Amino acid sequence: MRPDAVPLAEHLTQASYLAAAALFILSLRWLSHPSTARRGVAAGVGGMAAAILGTLLYPQIVGYGYIAVAMIVGTAIGIPLSKVPLTAVPQRTALSHAFGGLAAALVGSAKYALWLPEGELTTFRTSAIAIEVILGGLTFTGSLMAAGKLQEIVPTRPITYKGQNLINLSLLAIAVGSAICLVARPEQWWLFIVILVLSLVFGVLLIIPIGGADMPTVISLLNSYAGLAAVAMGFVLENKVLITAGALDGSSGFILSVIMCRAMNRSFTNVLFGAFGQVQAGSAAGEAKAVKSGTAQDAADLLENASSVVVVPGYGMAVAQAQHRVREIYDQLSKRGIDVKFAIHPVAGRMPGHMNVLLAEAEVPYDALVEMDDINRDLPQTDVVVVVGANDVVNPAARHDKQSPIYGMPIIDADRAKACIAIKRSMNPGFAGIDNELYSADNTLMVFGDAKGVLGDIVKSLTGEAGGH
Ligand code: NAP
């Protein structure tokens, strides 16, 4: 090897890290709008490829054999994971965070074991390793639990017991206390084991009191823990791209959790400790109010006579995979000169951007998608609102019922439109488990059935295929 070969490789590594960091930042920028999201994904993939290639050029790599095996195993696991249906994306994301947390905890443990006999555990290194192992360990087991709850392999309801928060916080405090002692006396290896075990146990205990439906918010919080674990790992390995990517990951996960909490009008503490989703006595089984129900033909008649229509999609549209039928209705009504818009609530469905992704899949034009605050201004002048499998995000109780668990959550004011068509299978409640007075309002027509089927019938009526129209 020529004497100048090492510096050149080093330069190339640093240059590719710089390119990777720039691409990650651009990726986040582009991912924030549907029209540039594809470019954002490509930039993220490009950034990761640059980071991996740069690392492979690293002059101190001892052998490529293990790396090749790890990449083959990772690819073999990653390819099937990339093919899961959209409804399973939250649990797939949780699994990715679990792997990230595991990687951080393993790297931290390996570095501790390597540096301990060599006496190279400085205060800085031991602190970074302790943070990495605590965050990595709890992210690993916490994310596995979150994925299990979403996949319904573990019970989805919150499991609570007396003194739970105290026990959890005490465990965390013992782990942090042990970490401080370890930094002072790095040769006390048993403290390292205590930290590792407690962080793994804490991850499980943190998640069990949280209801399955709150998992998307928790997952984005775990995303930010995984990011912070990567930052700590970057300090341990003195790797700049890990520090940058981890910081971006950590902060974007945190911002997303804040946005989701705000959109549900819930605090972090309520999501983490509120045991939301427990069966609420009485609320769902209140006295039955009379509702006006009609057929797909009735709905089609209402729609045809409207000049403005707003569609409010919700979780039921995702369950029914009805986005393509929604698109057909959009086409039919637009063809008749009717103004059709889509009202997007930030937490409609079960993951951030759920409705945007489904509507984009059905190629609904982006400019027809309107955010909650903007559409609410137009709703009192709107002729017909079509609520497709949405419930909580259009529940007027959020505005006036102080006893309601969703009181204060911003909603789409579907009840303020001149008429409302609500499509769902039954009078069952949605995620929050509460009745919705929108369904019994005078200007609401319920059309019961699976959203895909009902919308398909409405399309048939609009195209005249249903006969007699
Ligand atoms: P929702 O309140 O959960 O209501 C969904 C409705 O869809 C149900 O009432 C259900 O009624 C109906 N439905 C289910 N399958 C259907 C089908 N095949 N065809 C027709 N209708 C169907 O949904 P949402 O209004 O979208 O509100 C989302 C909720 O999730 C909010 O409370 C939000 O806070 C919470 N959340 C969201 C996120 C997020 O990131 N988006 C994260 C955590 C929590 P039937 O059973 O009668 O059909």
Side-chain angles (χ1 to χ4, degrees), residues 212-217 260 263-264 266 276 313-322 345-355 387-394 406 409 423-433 439 448-452:
D214 264 346
M215 284 305 125
T217 320
M260 287 163 83
M264 294 189 283
R266 313 230 334 257
F276 199 76
Y315 179 59
M317 181 181 85
V319 176
Q321 287 293 296
H345 192 285
V347 292
R350 288 293 182 274
M351 60 182 172
H354 204 165
M355 298 300 118
V387 176
V388 183
N391 193 339
D392 295 342
V393 299
V394 289
I406 60 164
M409 167 173 156
I423 302 168
K424 68 200 290 287
R425 297 163 306 178
S426 65
M427 288 302 283
N428 285 346
F431 164 71
Y439 302 144
F448 288 108
D450 174 73
K452 194 174 183 175

Side-chain angles (χ1 to χ4, degrees), residues 171-234:
L171 277 186
L172 187 62
I174 298 172
V176 173
S178 307
I180 294 169
C181 296
L182 186 74
V183 172
R185 312 217 16 221
E187 68 284 358
Q188 302 278 343
W189 58 267
W190 57 272
L191 282 172
F192 183 84
I193 310 284
V194 170
I195 298 170
L196 184 62
V197 171
L198 285 183
S199 59
L200 292 173
V201 174
F202 181 74
V204 175
L205 296 183
L206 180 75
I207 301 304
I208 55 173
I210 306 174
D214 264 346
M215 284 305 125
T217 320
V218 172
I219 286 171
S220 57
L221 203 58
L222 289 168
N223 181 12
S224 80
Y225 295 161
L228 293 178
V231 172
M233 180 156 61

Side-chain angles (χ1 to χ4, degrees), residues 47-413:
M48 194 51 87
I52 293 173
L53 285 177
T55 307
L56 290 176
L57 291 174
Y58 204 64
Q60 277 142 26
I61 285 184
V62 264
Y64 286 93
Y66 286 123
I67 297 176
V69 172
M71 287 181 100
I72 292 168
V73 173
T75 311
I77 297 174
I79 289 177
L81 276 183
S82 71
K83 301 204 186 309
V84 301
L86 197 60
T87 40
V89 165
Q91 46 269 50
R92 195 208 60 79
T93 311
L95 276 183
S96 307
H97 298 161
F99 293 144
L102 178 65
L106 286 177
V107 169
S109 306
K111 279 295 185 188
Y112 180 78
L114 277 175
W115 282 334
L116 179 64
E118 291 165 11
E120 286 186 29
L121 283 166
T122 59
T123 302
F124 180 78
R125 281 181 169 174
T126 319
S127 312
I129 287 178
I131 296 172
E132 180 185 358
V133 168
I134 292 179
L135 288 171
L138 76 88
T139 304
F140 173 54
T141 49
S143 301
L144 282 185
M145 283 293 290
K149 283 209 175 206
L150 284 166
Q151 195 63 32
E152 299 183 13
I153 303 168
V154 274
T156 57
R157 72 194 155 77
I159 298 170
T160 52
Y161 49 85
K162 211 161 167 257
Q164 188 168 31
N165 292 341
L166 188 69
I167 293 174
N168 289 357
L169 291 176
S170 307
L171 277 186
L172 187 62
I174 298 172
V176 173
S178 307
I180 294 169
C181 296
L182 186 74
V183 172
R185 312 217 16 221
E187 68 284 358
Q188 302 278 343
W189 58 267
W190 57 272
L191 282 172
F192 183 84
I193 310 284
V194 170
I195 298 170
L196 184 62
V197 171
L198 285 183
S199 59
L200 292 173
V201 174
F202 181 74
V204 175
L205 296 183
L206 180 75
I207 301 304
I208 55 173
I210 306 174
D214 264 346
M215 284 305 125
T217 320
V218 172
I219 286 171
S220 57
L221 203 58
L222 289 168
N223 181 12
S224 80
Y225 295 161
L228 293 178
V231 172
M233 180 156 61
F235 281 115
V236 171
L237 299 176
E238 292 174 15
N239 182 308
K240 292 191 189 80
V241 81
L242 264 177
I243 299 173
T244 321
L248 290 172
D249 194 17
S251 49
S252 55
F254 185 70
I255 293 169
L256 186 56
S257 335
V258 171
I259 293 174
M260 287 163 83
C261 284
R262 255 194 219 147
M264 294 189 283
N265 193 39
R266 313 230 334 257
S267 63
F268 261 143
T269 31
N270 182 275
V271 170
L272 290 177
F273 307 116
F276 199 76
Q278 256 171 338
V279 181
Q280 276 148 21
S283 60
E287 83 272 22
K289 295 198 191 80
V291 298
K292 214 168 18 159
S293 79
T295 60
Q297 181 67 58
D298 299 331
D301 291 343
L302 257 175
L303 288 171
E304 262 183 323
N305 291 312
S307 58
S308 56
V309 169
V310 169
V311 179
V312 186
Y315 179 59
M317 181 181 85
V319 176
Q321 287 293 296
Q323 61 275 22
H324 296 282
R325 298 289 162 280
V326 167
R327 163 75 208 246
E328 287 170 37
I329 301 236
Y330 171 84
D331 289 343
Q332 284 302 321
L333 297 179
S334 301
K335 228 173 13 185
R336 290 166 165 77
I338 301 169
D339 177 48
V340 187
K341 294 265 182 293
F342 292 82
I344 306 298
H345 192 285
V347 292
R350 288 293 182 274
M351 60 182 172
H354 204 165
M355 298 300 118
N356 302 64
V357 173
L358 290 172
L359 294 174
E361 183 197 318
E363 294 185 1
V364 170
Y366 301 134
D367 54 13
L369 273 53
V370 186
E371 292 193 6
M372 175 170 61
D373 293 337
D374 297 330
I375 203 77
N376 275 346
R377 275 193 288 275
D378 296 344
L379 282 173
Q381 294 82 259
T382 300
D383 292 331
V384 183
V385 162
V386 190
V387 176
V388 183
N391 193 339
D392 295 342
V393 299
V394 289
N395 191 339
R399 285 197 309 255
H400 64 78
D401 182 359
K402 293 206 166 97
Q403 309 307 321
S404 171
I406 60 164
Y407 178 67
M409 167 173 156
I411 57 155
I412 292 173
D413 298 329

